[in-house]
Amino acid sequence: MSLIQEGIKKGLIKLDDEQKYITYINQNKKRNYSNHEEQVQAETFLKLVLTYGYDQKRIRLFVPVVMGSSTKEADIIVYNDDGHKSPHIVVECKKQEVSELEFTQAVEQGFSYASVWKRNLY
């Protein structure tokens, strides 16, 4: 059984009939599943919950991150607490086939999001 099928079976996600849109049940967030990056985000979310055992209540997807005068969006944040105040893991997802440069940029993007959280904690 694939992670997607298991996620549907366990009520973590649902796909519409055309499998064009995915809804993350706990957050009631609907996204375009035909986007390749969204497919990676869904698999990553499900792997965090189903494979690594993180509580879905401590995971937030598509979290606004204020960086200066602009607002970006962290793909996935796993928190240490139920109140979502103490980030444990920040995940930046990209489609499966990316260049080395795109991969490096994604890593830097994830670190920049994490550093914003760290500054806000102190």
Side-chain angles (χ1 to χ4, degrees), residues 14-46:
K14 67 179 177 181
L15 292 172
D16 68 338
D17 291 337
E18 295 83 33
Q19 296 192 352
K20 184 175 179 182
Y21 292 98
I22 184 170
T23 301
Y24 298 90
I25 305 297
N26 192 43
Q27 287 185 250
N28 195 30
K29 288 202 176 195
K30 184 177 181 179
R31 305 285 286 205
N32 182 355
Y33 190 66
S34 59
N35 177 327
H36 294 289
E37 189 171 306
E38 189 63 47
Q39 294 169 16
V40 172
Q41 290 168 335
E43 292 263 342
T44 303
F45 165 70
L46 293 171

Side-chain angles (χ1 to χ4, degrees), residues 18-99:
E18 295 83 33
Q19 296 192 352
K20 184 175 179 182
Y21 292 98
I22 184 170
T23 301
Y24 298 90
I25 305 297
N26 192 43
Q27 287 185 250
N28 195 30
K29 288 202 176 195
K30 184 177 181 179
R31 305 285 286 205
N32 182 355
Y33 190 66
S34 59
N35 177 327
H36 294 289
E37 189 171 306
E38 189 63 47
Q39 294 169 16
V40 172
Q41 290 168 335
E43 292 263 342
T44 303
F45 165 70
L46 293 171
K47 192 172 280 191
L48 286 165
V49 175
L50 299 172
T51 304
Y52 296 109
Y54 288 99
D55 186 341
Q56 69 167 327
K57 294 175 188 158
R58 290 190 173 187
I59 299 174
R60 286 291 169 259
L61 297 106
F62 323 112
V63 180
V65 178
V66 177
M67 301 181 76
S69 62
S70 64
T71 300
K72 308 282 186 176
E73 189 176 79
D75 293 330
I76 302 172
I77 299 180
V78 180
Y79 293 91
N80 288 314
D81 61 309
D82 292 340
H84 309 118
K85 302 292 182 202
S86 176
H88 178 62
I89 302 170
V90 177
V91 180
E92 177 59 29
C93 298
K94 296 294 178 202
K95 62 185 178 182
Q96 287 187 350
E97 302 299 323
V98 295
S99 68

